[in-house]
Amino acid sequence: MVAIRTRSRFGPPAAGGGIVIPIAAPLLADEEADAARAVVLSGWVSQGPQVAAFEREFAALVGAPHACAVSNCTTALQLALAALDIGTGDEVITVSHSFIATANVIRHQGAIPVFVDIDPETYNLDCARLAEAITERTRAIIAVHQMGMPCDMAALMAIARRHGIAVIEDAACAAGSQIRIDREWEAIGKPRGDIACFSFHPRKVITTGEGGMLTTADADLDRKFKLLRQHGMSVPDTVRHNSSSVIFEEYVVLGYNYRMTDMQAAIGRRQLERLPELVARRRAVAARYAEQLGNLEGLRLPTEPAWARSNWQSYCVRLPDRLDQRIVMQHLLDKGIATRRGIMCAHREQPYSSLAQGQDLRQSELAQDRSILLPIYAQMDAEDTLRVADAVRAELER
Ligand SMILES: *Cc1c(COP(=O)(O)O)cnc(C)c1O
């Protein structure tokens, strides 16, 4: 693990190439290291009691009846599709404007991704264009809460229910985000559709190195996830290990090995304890950016709809047309500030070149080409955001 105390107790990791302000930085400290150490010394390092406890605690935190931990969010999304029996020839509606795993899992199941354009205000699926993408072969929608900003689930669920289509939430970025449903603020992960999938990659708000989680209200789906992630094994190894009588397992379905380890889960449990603080800190960073960048002519800042509270996994700004994205990013990098371009569109990547594309995905393409992601992480102080804001201002005044 990288040393994290370069500047303060929770300073960002030292990066190469003269980077002073990285794009992101996980917040990991002694608590996580001690938790992993205890598991290493316990004698049980694969999926076991820590995974079970992490699942219980995650479920309780988001208000879901069931949670199932897996190796990453990509496998979580694939299990979600598999558990819903989505396969060859089925159509799954989602956005092209997402991390490519969202579309890849659909194709790995033999199904066909049907891309809908985004709303440029939220960078999420434009629900006004959802209905026109539905055909008699549509089996599911994967709704992405991109960069932690909740997707308009009320509008989306109304359409999905009307057509009897399953809904999977790609909540990879959205641990700690909230959405207002029927006047109540609820965590993303509390079941609204059928299944929600989370990532614990270090670029997300909490991390286990690699890791994922599925939540659902459906006990049958949860049972399927738990069978499928462990080779379709009828009796888990933990049960056999602790049994005083001999047990023979069976392999009742065609499964996978998508397990999380107990070391990861132990780290995840400590990260869960930090989640409210991590989100509060990120929201403070976003508020400072809004203040420091708010009056810059031509720069469009991300905003939360009235019914959404983002965890600000990423902070994405839209550049004015006259500025070149790559040049702005290079100038910032020259000042030691790392950025990333806007979320990339899957339909523009090679494995998707042969996929028939009738859809108008102009807003998705513009978001990729005209946006940049600014550094954001919980440890970022006012000095850091001001430094970024000053560098962005210099570009706009150029
Ligand atoms: C990161 C991410 C994924 C993949 O998560 P992994 O845990 O890295 O597999 C999927 N979808 C979205 C929207 C993501 O941002």
Side-chain angles (χ1 to χ4, degrees):
M1 199 171 296
V2 212
I4 62 156
R5 287 181 204 89
T6 49
R7 289 191 310 157
S8 62
R9 178 161 181 247
F10 293 130
I19 302 252
V20 184
I21 303 186
I23 183 71
L27 198 155
L28 295 161
D30 287 338
E31 291 83 348
E32 285 81 0
D34 292 345
R37 177 184 160 83
V39 174
V40 168
L41 299 177
S42 77
W44 190 280
V45 291
S46 62
Q47 176 184 294
Q50 292 295 325
V51 167
F54 186 34
E55 288 168 345
R56 280 195 303 276
E57 290 162 9
F58 192 90
L61 188 88
V62 301
H66 307 281
C68 174
V70 289
S71 49
N72 55 64
C73 185
T74 307
T75 53
L77 289 164
Q78 201 194 338
L79 282 194
L81 291 169
L84 293 169
D85 290 321
I86 289 165
T88 309
D90 294 334
E91 290 179 1
V92 179
I93 296 175
T94 190
V95 284
S96 171
H97 179 265
S98 182
F99 184 60
I100 199 160
T102 311
N104 283 352
V105 292
I106 298 170
R107 299 199 41 210
H108 282 308
Q109 283 301 111
I112 303 156
V114 174
F115 297 130
V116 170
D117 209 3
I118 58 161
D119 172 352
E121 292 299 320
T122 61
Y123 298 94
N124 279 328
L125 191 146
D126 184 350
C127 290
R129 310 188 61 168
L130 182 54
E132 66 196 55
I134 295 173
T135 74
E136 69 280 2
R137 291 199 294 176
T138 307
R139 291 281 322 280
I141 301 167
I142 300 184
V144 183
H145 303 300
Q146 196 54 262
M147 299 183 273
M149 186 68 76
C151 189
D152 187 354
M153 291 304 290
L156 190 138
M157 286 309 302
I159 299 167
R161 286 214 182 92
R162 196 153 64 235
H163 292 267
I165 299 167
V167 173
I168 297 165
E169 294 172 68
D170 180 345
C173 301
S177 296
Q178 294 182 315
I179 188 165
R180 198 176 59 206
I181 304 266
D182 302 330
R183 301 199 184 157
E184 296 287 332
W185 285 100
E186 295 180 350
I188 294 291
K190 179 167 177 173
R192 277 167 290 270
D194 298 81
I195 302 160
C197 301
F198 294 85
S199 171
F200 307 124
H201 182 273
R203 271 298 293 279
K204 319 299 183 187
V205 170
I206 55 172
T207 187
T208 57
E210 296 277 357
M213 188 77 78
L214 302 106
T215 61
T216 184
D218 185 329
D220 285 336
L221 284 177
D222 186 59
R223 258 193 300 279
K224 280 191 194 168
F225 305 151
K226 284 171 180 159
L227 259 184
L228 288 169
R229 75 170 164 186
Q230 178 145 259
H231 308 287
M233 193 187 289
S234 60
V235 185
D237 46 4
T238 39
V239 174
R240 279 181 283 134
H241 183 76
N242 294 317
S243 173
S244 54
S245 56
V246 172
I247 300 177
F248 289 167
E249 81 278 23
E250 288 173 70
Y251 297 87
V252 293
V253 292
L254 190 64
Y256 307 89
N257 179 358
Y258 286 169
R259 287 175 299 212
M260 175 182 274
T261 69
D262 256 22
M263 289 165 290
Q264 291 168 304
I267 292 170
R269 296 178 69 193
R270 300 287 87 79
Q271 289 275 285
L272 266 194
E273 290 170 354
R274 292 191 201 278
L275 181 61
E277 190 200 342
L278 293 176
V279 172
R281 284 176 178 231
R282 298 180 87 98
R283 290 184 63 80
V285 173
R288 279 204 300 276
Y289 270 146
E291 202 177 293
Q292 294 163 348
L293 296 168
N295 53 3
L296 294 186
E297 184 80 25
L299 188 74
R300 202 146 95 204
L301 302 184
T303 54
E304 292 172 314
W307 42 264
R309 283 188 193 143
S310 179
N311 64 1
W312 296 109
Q313 182 270 336
S314 289
Y315 194 86
C316 181
V317 300
R318 183 76 65 102
L319 298 173
D321 292 345
R322 65 189 163 80
L323 291 183
D324 182 276
Q325 181 192 49
R326 186 188 290 264
I327 293 173
V328 170
M329 291 174 68
Q330 186 63 53
H331 287 161
L332 290 173
L333 190 58
D334 294 343
K335 292 179 177 173
I337 299 165
T339 58
R340 296 288 182 269
R341 67 168 154 177
I343 302 291
M344 291 168 67
C345 295
H347 74 275
R348 286 169 146 181
E349 297 302 312
Q350 263 188 50
Y352 289 81
S353 58
S354 62
L355 214 68
Q357 286 303 330
Q359 305 93 325
D360 169 15
L361 300 172
R362 204 161 51 100
Q363 293 302 337
S364 302
E365 294 182 354
L366 279 172
Q368 174 179 347
D369 297 340
R370 309 297 317 152
S371 303
I372 61 172
L373 310 190
L374 300 181
I376 188 162
Y377 42 92
Q379 310 90 306
M380 236 182 144
D381 58 25
E383 207 179 303
D384 296 331
T385 50
L386 195 57
R387 186 168 175 159
V388 175
D390 284 345
V392 172
R393 180 180 303 109
E395 293 309 304
L396 285 151
E397 288 170 356
R398 209 174 266 274

